[in-house]
Amino acid sequence: MPDHMFIVTGGPGTGKTCLIEKLAQRGFLSMPEAGRAIIQDQVRIGGVALPWSDRAAFADLMLGWELRSWHEASAITGTVVMDRGIPDVMGYLDLCGLPVPSHVEAAAKLYRYNRRVFLAPFWNAIFTEDAERKQNLEEAEATGRVMVETYTRLGYEIVELPFVGVEERADYVMERLRTG
C-alpha cells in the first residue's frame, strides 16, 4: 500500500480543492480532481459523459483519470495529496443507484492509498453550486455519507476535517500527516 498517497474526499462544495491548493502552497504535491475537469472537457467537446447525461460513461472516465493519477502519484517519493481517489468512483455509482461493475471494485481493492482518508464533511456555510457543480444540498450531504461508507467498507480510516478556515484545516492535515 503506498503510504505516501493521501485522499481528501467528501461531497461537492466542502472545501476539498481549496484545502489541497493550500497544502500545495505549503510544498505538498497533489493530484487534481477528475470530475470537474471531465465535465469541462465534455462540455467543451459536446460529449455526453456528464453526470446529467450519461452517469455510467462519466464514471468510466473518472475511473481512467483516477487510475492515471494513482500511477503518477505512486512514482513520486514524497507525500502526495489526492483530490479524491478510485473508491470515489464506487461511491459515485452507489449514490446514483447504478451497479458497481466488477472492474471498478477490483481497481479500488488493487490500487490502494494510505489507510488514513481525510473527509471534508458537508458544510452548509461554504456550499455553493456552479457551472460544473450542480448538486443540491441534499445530494452534497448524501455524497459525503456515501464516501464514508465506501472508504470504510474498503478498510480505510476516516479522519473528518474540522469546520475551520482553510489555514487551520491545512494545519490539521499536516499534523496528521506527521503522526501517521
Side-chain angles (χ1 to χ4, degrees), residues 108-128:
K109 290 178 179 176
L110 181 63
Y111 298 102
R112 305 285 295 178
Y113 305 86
N114 187 286
R115 66 178 173 76
R116 186 173 286 176
V117 171
F118 295 97
L119 173 79
F122 178 75
W123 190 358
N124 192 36
I126 66 170
F127 176 79
T128 58

Side-chain angles (χ1 to χ4, degrees), residues 4-158:
H4 70 289
M5 296 163 45
F6 290 86
I7 297 289
V8 178
T9 191
T14 56
K16 296 178 304 299
T17 302
C18 289
L19 170 62
I20 291 168
E21 288 170 356
K22 180 57 66 182
L23 291 168
Q25 290 172 5
R26 294 183 180 189
F28 288 94
L29 298 173
S30 64
M31 291 290 159
E33 177 190 8
R36 185 174 294 269
I38 290 168
I39 290 169
Q40 290 169 347
D41 286 344
Q42 288 293 299
V43 167
R44 195 171 294 123
I45 66 171
V48 296
L50 294 160
W52 52 87
S53 296
D54 187 338
R55 291 178 169 187
F58 180 65
D60 282 341
L61 290 180
M62 284 195 302
L63 177 63
W65 179 292
E66 297 300 353
L67 285 167
R68 187 206 59 184
S69 292
W70 187 95
H71 286 292
E72 283 183 30
S74 69
I76 296 170
T77 56
T79 299
V80 182
V81 182
M82 318 282 288
D83 197 335
R84 302 192 178 278
I86 295 167
D88 283 77
V89 178
M90 287 180 61
Y92 172 76
L93 289 164
D94 282 342
L95 183 70
C96 295
L98 295 172
V100 176
S102 59
H103 70 279
V104 175
E105 189 161 343
K109 290 178 179 176
L110 181 63
Y111 298 102
R112 305 285 295 178
Y113 305 86
N114 187 286
R115 66 178 173 76
R116 186 173 286 176
V117 171
F118 295 97
L119 173 79
F122 178 75
W123 190 358
N124 192 36
I126 66 170
F127 176 79
T128 58
E129 295 179 50
D130 60 33
E132 290 94 28
R133 184 185 301 131
K134 297 184 180 197
Q135 297 95 338
N136 61 30
L137 293 172
E138 292 78 22
E139 291 171 308
E141 282 185 278
T143 301
R145 287 191 302 272
V146 166
M147 294 309 160
V148 168
E149 292 166 8
T150 301
Y151 278 94
T152 300
R153 187 171 65 246
L154 290 167
Y156 290 96
E157 170 194 336
I158 302 297

